[in-house]
Amino acid sequence: SQTIHQWPATLVQPVGSPLSLECTVEGTSNPNLYWYRQAAGRGLQLLFYSVGIGQISSEVPQNLSASRPQDRQFILSSKKLLLSDSGFYLCAWSELAGAGYEQFFGPGTRLTVL
Amino acid sequence: TQLLEQSPQFLSIQEGENLTVYCNSSSVFSSLQWYRQEPGEGPVLLVTVVTGGEVKKLKRLTFQFGDARKDSSLHITAAQPGDTGLYLCAGTGGYQKVTFGTGTKLQVIP
């Protein structure tokens, strides 16, 4: 069966510090990978998605970046965090299943920038 | 830009009541998913609907995809405290793009 891991679970960082969040998927090959950010109790904002190693599409221009160094590894980074980067970050994977793109989410990382 | 609006945004009901959550768009989707999310966790997939007019049932939850594939509804019968959570719809459109709805926060009071 497939599993998705994210770490760390929680993170408190000062403004201007760097960021690295990691996501790994097990039990599947060549998945589509996604990074989302979620404000409290609200919907998901797609930040990046990747259909293969080294292929990254950015949905929202901001000071975050993403990389996919391996097939099942997806990393979200920032060189200098802003207060507005605080939020709940979710990684997800999907594979084409019929006409749907069902997504399976990791447990999330709660980021607080002070 | 494809947008999915959910209503209501918040819903607080007593245990045993029925409720319906709506997910509306002006865009056509090839498929639509419903997810439920508990605080501090990732969303969990409940169902996928693909065909216009399709109805799927999952125990006390009934999901319907609009005939034109632009909207969907989720009906819960005899709500229980375990149904509490954030309900999210998500539509798949062109270029494999998935758009998430604005979310409906449900609280079921014992």
Side-chain angles (χ1 to χ4, degrees):
Chain A
S1 64
Q2 300 89 0
T3 55
I4 179 169
H5 305 277
Q6 279 186 250
W7 66 90
T10 60
L11 192 58
V12 180
Q13 292 285 96
V15 169
S17 64
L19 173 73
S20 181
L21 303 181
E22 190 163 343
C23 171
T24 59
V25 182
E26 296 176 357
T28 186
S29 296
N30 197 29
N32 294 335
L33 295 173
Y34 308 83
W35 278 112
Y36 291 91
R37 180 167 59 202
Q38 184 179 31
R42 299 296 288 158
L44 306 180
Q45 178 188 31
L46 179 62
L47 301 176
F48 301 95
Y49 70 94
S50 171
V51 299
I53 295 174
Q55 300 179 59
I56 308 294
S57 296
S58 174
E59 288 294 304
V60 183
Q62 52 202 323
N63 70 318
L64 299 172
S65 62
S67 62
R68 185 171 177 173
Q70 300 180 41
D71 181 43
R72 290 170 289 178
Q73 184 185 29
F74 205 22
I75 297 172
L76 182 69
S77 303
S78 174
K79 292 182 179 179
K80 288 186 177 182
L81 284 168
L82 307 173
L83 286 173
S84 58
D85 291 324
S86 293
F88 191 49
Y89 288 81
L90 288 158
C91 180
W93 72 272
S94 77
E95 56 188 29
L96 179 59
Y101 283 83
E102 299 168 337
Q103 299 198 4
F104 301 93
F105 287 84
T109 295
R110 173 74 59 193
L111 172 65
T112 303
V113 182
L114 302 175
Chain B
T1 302
Q2 296 176 316
L3 296 175
L4 274 170
E5 293 287 336
Q6 287 184 237
S7 61
Q9 185 176 346
F10 300 100
L11 192 55
S12 181
I13 61 172
Q14 295 290 327
E15 180 177 359
E17 293 184 358
N18 301 333
L19 67 115
T20 302
V21 176
Y22 299 94
C23 174
N24 295 297
S25 175
S26 58
S27 303
V28 176
F29 294 99
S30 58
S31 70
L32 192 138
Q33 289 82 38
W34 283 94
Y35 297 82
R36 186 167 75 94
Q37 183 181 22
E38 299 196 17
E41 300 181 7
V44 175
L45 178 69
L46 295 174
V47 77
T48 295
V49 286
V50 177
T51 306
E54 182 177 3
V55 177
K56 281 192 174 179
K57 291 191 175 184
L58 184 65
K59 297 184 180 178
R60 293 176 293 101
L61 279 61
T62 301
F63 305 86
Q64 184 164 8
F65 202 10
D67 291 341
R69 291 184 288 129
K70 293 183 179 181
D71 54 82
S72 181
S73 63
L74 158 60
H75 182 79
I76 301 179
T77 303
Q80 298 178 2
D83 296 326
T84 293
L86 178 69
Y87 288 82
L88 296 162
C89 62
T92 301
Y95 303 105
Q96 307 180 17
K97 189 164 182 176
V98 177
T99 302
F100 275 83
T102 49
T104 295
K105 195 168 184 179
L106 171 65
Q107 180 185 34
V108 182
I109 302 168

